[in-house]
Amino acid sequence: MLTKYEAQLKTMKQSGQAAIDQGLFFITPDDEQFSEGRFNLKGKPVINLSSCSYLGLELDPRLAEASADAARKFGTQYSSCRAFAQCPLYDELEDLLSQIFQAPTLANLSTTIGHIATLPILVKDNSHLVLDIQSHHCLRMSADYLANRGISSKTIRHNALDQLEQEILAHPDQDIWYLIDGLYSMYGDYAPIAELLAMLDRYPRLHLYVDDAHGTSWTGKNGQGYALEQGRHPRMVVSHSFTKAFGGSGGCVVFPDQETRDQVRLLGGPFYWGSPIAPPVLGTAVASAKLHLDGSITKLQQTLMAKIKLFNRLCQQYQIPLIANNDTPIRYIGLGKQETTNNVTKALLEKGFYASAVCYPSVSKNKTGLRLGITNHLTEAQIHQLVETLAEILKREVTDETRAFIDKAFKRAF
């Protein structure tokens, strides 16, 4: 008899292996060099729709040169903890980041490490965590980490503020930390930040921790992201990623005040004793941050938004239903069963488009689908071709029976 966890692992393995068997997971392009969001796979050219580099900065020669220059100056790595002696680029980067986000920041090796360094310091023992069911896995890891201190947690429905309020009222003597994404990485829908800011004013024991990895750079003034563009609060902390639209690697945490930032830097273990960010990565981040501040990012944002709107308009024209009807670069087509998702993704790949076949546990078992990343690498002609191709495939693969299943799973008409 399998335990609940063992049964989950078995289901995850089956879902992943099915995608591997169809050549959809763990692929390795043929190329020695990538170019404008394309690669060759088994000798055939493929347009990459799985990328989260929405602005296309990862191939910007200015970032590549800054990376090489940092390596020449400081080495390929700088193997010393920040607590002892840090690479000089750290101070430059964090100064630039504080200008972008208009608040004190700490750069970190990864978004996950940022969570693990920050939350244990800020979340006090008499606290209760609440997570959105679609919160990123790294936030769930942080909750599991905090459970070792006896800190309880509860997962609620997606964007269900009524359930959040119930949790607040059910724990009147505890601090409540709501852990969420700013822009959710699968469906591409937003967290209700404006409403949450009002709740922070209403409930003095509520705290908000936002992972805005997918909102960074492509939206907001100077690329400050979705969450901070909606507003700020003394009990709101926002984490950002450099591995998406920022065009680099690592990330940062944005704090409401200098005192909180300094406390986490001093006590948040991975910030001072963990592996440091390598100089080439720091150099890349500094170069990208400068583009965020000199106005370059604005044109890139406008170009991307035009492509998102074009994609959405064409989907409406061809009657392709998107789960989130908004203007974000994450576009999700709900297909229900994994078999349907894999078949559609495979057919799309055969036509020269590689997209993400989303499976359990990234989403619920019956809510799998096709995730498409709209980036600045896509041309208008490619977007037209993509949507036309998708319409043909969906017409063939989504039968009446499949459509009924999808409608029930997502509670909306396909």
Side-chain angles (χ1 to χ4, degrees):
M1 182 69 177
L2 296 177
T3 65
K4 182 179 179 181
Y5 180 66
E6 289 170 339
Q8 287 177 331
L9 287 179
K10 182 179 179 181
T11 302
M12 289 162 58
K13 182 179 179 180
Q14 290 172 340
S15 296
Q17 191 60 52
I20 291 172
D21 292 343
Q22 293 193 51
L24 305 177
F25 279 8
F26 297 101
I27 67 166
T28 302
D30 308 337
D31 307 60
E32 295 181 0
Q33 181 176 336
F34 288 169
S35 174
E36 297 180 342
R38 299 190 302 269
F39 54 71
N40 290 300
L41 185 64
K42 297 180 180 179
K44 293 178 59 177
V46 173
I47 294 169
N48 184 17
L49 298 166
S50 70
S51 174
C52 297
S53 185
Y54 308 120
L55 295 179
L57 280 172
E58 84 280 17
L59 295 177
D60 191 299
R62 292 168 292 186
L63 272 61
E65 180 56 33
S67 176
D69 186 54
R72 286 190 291 266
K73 288 180 177 178
F74 304 110
T76 58
Q77 67 160 328
Y78 188 83
S79 191
S80 174
C81 299
R82 290 190 74 180
F84 299 127
Q86 67 178 18
C87 178
L89 290 171
Y90 265 107
D91 284 343
E92 182 179 8
L93 174 59
E94 289 177 344
D95 177 65
L96 292 168
L97 293 174
S98 295
Q99 293 178 55
I100 291 171
F101 299 114
Q102 292 296 293
T105 65
L106 276 174
N108 51 66
L109 192 62
S110 74
T111 308
T112 301
I113 288 176
H115 299 337
I116 293 173
T118 302
L119 285 166
I121 305 306
L122 298 185
V123 176
K124 307 306 179 187
D125 285 340
N126 187 35
S127 297
H128 175 65
L129 307 180
V130 181
L131 292 92
D132 187 290
I133 195 170
Q134 291 190 27
S135 294
H136 198 276
H137 181 68
C138 57
L139 289 175
R140 298 180 181 280
M141 289 173 57
S142 301
D144 291 341
Y145 187 82
L146 288 167
N148 293 323
R149 283 171 44 199
I151 294 172
S152 60
S153 65
K154 175 73 176 290
T155 299
I156 63 174
R157 296 190 316 272
H158 185 45
N159 284 340
L161 298 191
D162 58 332
Q163 279 195 290
L164 172 61
E165 194 162 31
Q166 289 172 15
E167 289 298 305
I168 296 170
L169 297 175
H171 300 81
D173 299 322
Q174 291 181 277
D175 287 346
I176 305 296
W177 281 82
Y178 190 35
L179 278 51
I180 58 171
D181 292 11
L183 171 62
Y184 285 91
S185 60
M186 290 296 109
Y187 288 179
D189 59 330
Y190 292 120
I193 300 294
E195 292 89 337
L196 286 165
L197 290 171
M199 290 185 72
L200 286 169
D201 288 336
R202 199 158 64 246
Y203 295 107
R205 304 203 71 162
L206 176 64
H207 300 257
L208 185 61
Y209 188 94
V210 185
D211 181 339
D212 205 21
H214 286 274
T216 310
S217 297
W218 73 269
T219 190
K221 182 181 179 181
N222 294 329
Q224 68 178 347
Y226 171 74
L228 291 174
E229 190 76 359
Q230 303 307 302
R232 298 161 187 265
H233 197 280
R235 297 194 308 279
M236 174 178 169
V237 177
V238 181
S239 174
H240 290 270
S241 172
F242 301 156
T243 62
K244 316 300 182 192
F246 197 87
S249 183
C252 71
V253 181
V254 180
F255 298 93
D257 55 74
Q258 190 69 34
E259 182 181 1
T260 304
R261 182 263 186 198
D262 291 346
Q263 179 188 24
V264 172
R265 184 190 181 189
L266 178 63
L267 302 176
F271 275 125
Y272 66 86
W273 58 250
S275 298
I277 304 174
V281 176
L282 287 170
T284 300
V286 167
S288 178
K290 289 177 178 178
L291 296 181
H292 282 62
L293 290 167
D294 70 7
S296 300
I297 203 76
T298 304
K299 185 176 180 180
L300 293 174
Q301 289 177 333
Q302 292 169 347
T303 300
L304 177 64
M305 184 55 67
K307 293 177 179 180
I308 294 169
K309 288 181 178 295
L310 172 62
F311 179 84
N312 286 347
R313 190 163 62 248
L314 290 172
C315 282
Q316 185 175 20
Q317 178 183 332
Y318 283 88
Q319 298 182 319
I320 298 175
L322 302 171
I323 293 300
N325 292 315
N326 56 23
D327 295 331
T328 78
I330 301 172
R331 306 286 75 202
Y332 190 87
I333 301 170
L335 295 171
K337 294 180 179 178
Q338 192 68 52
E339 181 182 3
T340 306
T341 292
N342 289 356
N343 289 342
V344 170
T345 309
K346 180 70 172 179
L348 195 60
L349 180 57
E350 291 171 351
K351 294 291 186 179
F353 294 95
Y354 177 69
S356 301
V358 178
C359 67
Y360 174 81
S362 296
V363 293
S364 302
K365 282 181 282 189
N366 291 331
K367 292 187 177 181
T368 75
L370 189 70
R371 184 192 184 280
L372 304 160
I374 306 302
T375 74
N376 273 342
H377 292 310
L378 287 170
T379 66
E380 289 189 6
Q382 288 170 340
I383 293 173
H384 277 273
Q385 183 187 358
L386 167 63
V387 176
E388 291 168 8
T389 303
L390 261 175
E392 293 174 3
I393 293 171
L394 292 172
K395 186 176 181 180
R396 182 176 69 245
E397 295 292 340
V398 179
T399 64
D400 289 343
E401 182 181 354
T402 303
R403 182 176 285 103
F405 185 90
I406 296 170
D407 290 351
K408 183 177 180 181
F410 291 96
K411 296 181 173 60
R412 58 188 298 175
F414 184 86

